[in-house]
Amino acid sequence: MPYLAGIVLYPIKALDPIRVRTARIIASGALEHDRELAIVDAEGRLINGKRNTLIHHLCTGVNWDEGVVYLDTRDGGSGAQFHLDRERCALEAWLSDYFAQPVTLKRSTEGGFPDDPKNPGPTIIGRSSIETVASWYDGVPYAEIQTRFRANLEIGDSEPFWEDRLFGALDENVRFSIGDVQFGGTNPCQRCIVPTRNTKTGEPTDNFAEIFRARREATLPDWANRERFNHFYRLAVNTRLAPSELGKMLRVGDEVRL
């Protein structure tokens, strides 16, 4: 029986993950504290790995109970911590210095800053899928692939690409549950340039996307709706949750049922 093997949150969009045992559904259908914070430039554009490779060299952490953000660089020595409310100006000054441009830190507690605003529920991937993708590359281990694709919910005891069962035809939501939380699976997640790069250095992996597309097409399971793949650089499933799921909890170990 497939089950929820891992829950991963990304407190600051595009930056470091944290692993938790439980997660609460918020009003938008997203997970509480997932991508709740985002760094934006003077024109209001997101600072992320698509547009700024300095993201890869930044280490971050958030203590929500204390309202504190931790910042450092991969080489260490520049570490600092700031209170989200009382020291926001100092926090933004540290980030502006790091990115060499004026930036601000935005916060949204109601819906965060999802990658897919139309389908803001948690993204879902099977751990066996991560293992399979890692096998396609020399020198790119499981944990690195896991971090590159930045999914929220990891499913255990499933076949590779089992999660491709969780979407159907265009405009069709596939209904499934994890524990007592009801989901609608919407589409296979289109990937960007970020997974092609090393998460710690920003260095690109040669031919990453080309290898991925070829192997993904060759291994696409029979249960996947091939019509949803206008290209094969897609991995994990986007979801949407109804307002009725507000406040429900996901827990590691919950069963996944179609």
Side-chain angles (χ1 to χ4, degrees):
M1 175 68 72
Y3 71 98
L4 182 57
I7 303 173
V8 190
L9 306 179
Y10 298 86
I12 306 176
K13 188 175 177 70
L15 290 166
D16 290 335
I18 60 169
R19 291 189 165 269
V20 297
R21 300 287 300 176
T22 63
R24 177 180 172 273
I25 306 299
I26 60 174
S28 68
L31 302 181
E32 186 176 30
H33 299 319
D34 183 52
R35 297 168 172 88
E36 185 171 317
L37 303 169
I39 304 168
V40 300
D41 65 16
E43 298 179 3
R45 297 177 299 180
L46 289 168
I47 302 287
N48 56 33
K50 298 176 187 178
R51 299 177 49 243
N52 195 318
T53 56
L54 286 173
I55 281 285
H56 297 285
H57 303 281
L58 184 60
C59 302
T60 59
V62 179
N63 183 322
W64 295 109
D65 292 334
E66 297 181 5
V68 172
V69 173
Y70 304 93
L71 301 170
D72 203 350
T73 54
R74 297 281 177 207
D75 56 5
S78 302
Q81 66 180 57
F82 304 94
H83 192 276
L84 263 173
D85 298 320
R86 297 193 298 269
E87 300 176 296
R88 181 68 66 89
C89 290
L91 189 163
E92 291 176 343
W94 192 101
L95 289 169
S96 296
D97 183 63
Y98 176 77
F99 287 109
Q101 61 175 304
V103 303
T104 56
L105 186 68
K106 300 294 186 182
R107 185 176 188 182
S108 172
T109 59
E110 294 301 314
F113 300 90
D115 293 336
D116 183 349
K118 292 183 179 179
N119 303 296
T123 50
I124 298 179
I125 194 170
R127 285 188 168 176
S128 60
S129 303
I130 300 170
E131 291 173 359
T132 298
V133 173
S135 74
W136 298 343
Y137 302 95
D138 293 330
V140 186
Y142 173 93
E144 174 68 9
I145 292 294
Q146 191 177 38
T147 305
R148 289 191 189 197
F149 284 96
R150 304 180 69 80
N152 292 122
L153 305 180
E154 298 173 354
I155 306 303
D157 280 359
S158 60
E159 303 167 87
F161 310 114
W162 178 91
E163 67 275 10
D164 287 344
R165 301 176 190 272
L166 304 181
F167 59 85
L170 186 66
D171 298 325
E172 174 192 358
N173 288 351
V174 173
R175 310 307 301 178
F176 65 98
S177 63
I178 302 179
D180 64 354
V181 180
Q182 304 297 313
F183 287 78
T186 59
N187 60 284
C189 185
Q190 177 171 283
R191 313 316 307 203
C192 64
I193 194 173
V194 173
T196 69
R197 303 192 195 119
N198 183 286
T199 56
K200 302 270 192 311
T201 68
E203 290 297 314
T205 299
D206 291 342
N207 301 313
F208 185 93
E210 292 79 5
I211 292 169
F212 185 97
R213 284 193 291 265
R215 298 301 298 271
R216 185 75 161 107
E217 182 176 13
T219 58
L220 194 72
D222 293 339
W223 54 78
N225 187 327
R226 199 176 185 90
E227 293 180 357
R228 302 303 304 278
F229 290 84
N230 58 329
H231 60 78
F232 290 90
Y233 191 41
R234 293 180 179 270
L235 185 69
V237 176
N238 291 349
T239 67
R240 184 183 301 144
L241 282 71
S244 59
E245 306 312 290
L246 171 64
K248 290 185 177 181
M249 299 295 295
L250 290 168
R251 298 173 176 84
V252 169
D254 283 347
E255 291 185 357
V256 183
R257 295 183 180 276
L258 288 171

